[in-house]
Structure formats: C-alpha cells, structure tokens
Amino acid sequence: MLAIRRSIDPAMNHPSFFGNGELNGNHACETDEIDAVPLTAVQSPVDLERIRRAVREILEAVGEDPDREGLRETPDRVARMYAEVFEGMHQDPGLHLKKLFTQEYDEMVLVKDIRFVSFCEHHLLPVVGQVHVAYIPNGKVIGLSKIPRVIDVLAKRPQMQERLTVEVADLLMKELDAQGVAVVIEASHSCMTIRGVKKPNSTFVTSAMRGLFKERPPPAPR
C-alpha cells in the first residue's frame, strides 16, 4: 500500500539509504556561522558547557590532544550540534496538530517519503530514512506540512525506530480523531552500517497500524 520511492536526494550531502542499497559517503564536515558564536552566547535549554567538558574528556581518553589546532574548537561544535539535533526533547509535537480543517472526506490521505534524521539512543549515531504516513479523516483534515513537523520533533531526540513509529501513529490518531492511521518507517542505522556488524546495505522497516488500517489491513501483494 505504501509505495517506497527509492532515489538519491541530490540536495542533501549526508549518508542516506537508496534503492540500490548503497550509502553516499562522499560528504565533508563544514563549519557554519553558528560555530563562530561563543558558546556562552548561545541560548539553549541544553547544558552546553557540560557537553563541552565531556567531549574534551573523550578526546583525551582516546589518546588525542584536544588542544591541537584541528580539535581546539571541536568540543564547542559538538555541544552546539547536540543542542540542535536533540531540540525535539524540549518541544511539544502536539502543538502542530491543533489547527484542523472541516472537510467531508473519508478516503485515505497519504504523505510519503518524508525524510528524517534521528539518533539511535544506544550508540548516539545517526538514523537516516523516510516516513510514510496515511490517515482516514473523520470530518477533519490537517495541513500538509504539519505531519512532517511532528515527525521532526519526535525524531530530534535519542530514539528507537520502533518507538518513533508508534509515537507518530498514536499522536496522529489521538489529535486528528482519525478513523485510522498507518505509519511505515524505513531507515539506515549507522550503528550497524559503520560499526559492529557493518552491513551498509541494510534497511530497517517498522510499521504501526491504528483504527481501520488495523481492522481491515490492505491485501498482501501477490
């Protein structure tokens, strides 16, 4: 039911999974304008200074010199990075679902190929993939951009893909008062592509069906 478009996103220079199972590793780290801002000037609910100290300790623990030129500002950069990639911990995804529109429509609404980036809570390594969301309205519909916003908030925190799938489905089912919700997530996990078992061609797929989608699942493909 939820067709998967497998293509390379040329706009993103980030390791991603593609239909041929290959990973794009041709990316370079770049500094941006926020890296030039002193850490003490950054307003964040995250304890940036504590992260900075911890990163410096890690560098020393692996045998590096945190005071050499290439690493001197790395603890500050990593602190800012964690504040950015985990900002969903301090946001309420439900706020994006408060504005609904009355519409007599009782067929499936599908938003697919929603790209997301999260972090595996077991190794704090990136999880990159796509989310496909379908719902059957019950007299109310949601703005098209709101579902990707919800996914971004829930993904930007230490996550498990299974939990992310369920959280998206349950939140949409509750806030939209939908007749049914279906969520499918497929992703590549760095924790098993760059370390450990090292299987770069693997894709992890999870699903959560609610309401009519669970009561009357689509027929299996022949």
Side-chain angles (χ1 to χ4, degrees):
M1 178 190 67
L2 297 177
I4 299 171
R5 176 177 59 84
R6 300 187 180 278
S7 61
I8 295 177
D9 181 359
M12 304 300 295
N13 195 16
H14 191 288
S16 183
F17 71 93
F18 311 131
N20 59 7
E22 296 178 356
L23 292 174
N24 176 16
N26 299 322
H27 66 285
C29 295
E30 296 181 357
T31 58
D32 49 31
E33 292 182 0
I34 194 173
D35 287 332
V37 179
L39 202 63
T40 54
V42 178
Q43 299 296 317
S44 172
V46 174
D47 190 340
L48 298 174
E49 176 58 27
R50 189 173 182 180
I51 297 176
R52 188 197 68 78
R53 293 196 305 267
V55 173
R56 184 179 175 88
E57 284 291 323
I58 291 173
L59 290 172
E60 292 180 342
V62 299
E64 262 291 1
D65 176 11
D67 292 318
R68 70 175 175 84
E69 182 181 6
L71 293 174
R72 197 172 300 145
E73 297 178 5
T74 295
D76 286 8
R77 293 191 185 102
V78 174
R80 294 188 186 94
M81 178 199 71
Y82 277 126
E84 178 182 354
V85 301
F86 291 150
E87 64 184 359
M89 295 179 61
H90 309 283
Q91 299 173 355
D92 179 5
L95 294 178
H96 296 295
L97 301 174
K98 298 305 181 184
K99 179 64 175 179
L100 302 178
F101 302 94
T102 301
Q103 180 62 51
E104 291 304 319
Y105 182 82
D106 59 1
E107 299 292 336
M108 184 178 71
V109 177
L110 171 63
V111 186
K112 63 178 184 176
D113 302 330
I114 304 169
R115 190 178 186 277
F116 80 97
V117 178
S118 188
F119 277 73
C120 163
E121 68 179 30
H122 301 136
H123 298 93
L124 296 184
L125 288 172
V127 175
V128 182
Q130 297 180 83
V131 185
H132 315 286
V133 176
Y135 74 96
I136 300 176
N138 190 21
K140 299 281 187 178
V141 297
I142 190 71
L144 183 61
S145 69
K146 304 307 181 184
I147 292 176
R149 292 182 188 278
V150 165
I151 293 168
D152 280 345
V153 172
L154 291 174
K156 289 184 176 180
R157 56 187 69 181
Q159 267 290 12
M160 291 179 61
Q161 185 172 324
E162 298 93 334
R163 182 169 65 237
L164 175 61
T165 309
V166 169
E167 287 177 344
V168 172
D170 287 345
L171 182 63
L172 292 176
M173 191 69 180
K174 174 185 175 183
E175 296 296 335
L176 303 185
D177 189 29
Q179 297 184 66
V181 170
V183 178
V184 173
I185 299 181
E186 50 174 359
S188 174
H189 289 241
S190 298
C191 60
M192 69 174 294
T193 62
I194 67 171
R195 59 158 299 281
V197 71
K198 297 185 179 70
K199 298 298 181 184
N201 296 334
S202 60
T203 300
F204 183 32
V205 181
T206 51
S207 66
M209 304 293 159
R210 300 290 184 268
L212 292 182
F213 286 102
K214 194 160 190 174
E215 297 168 10
R216 296 183 297 177
R222 295 180 179 179

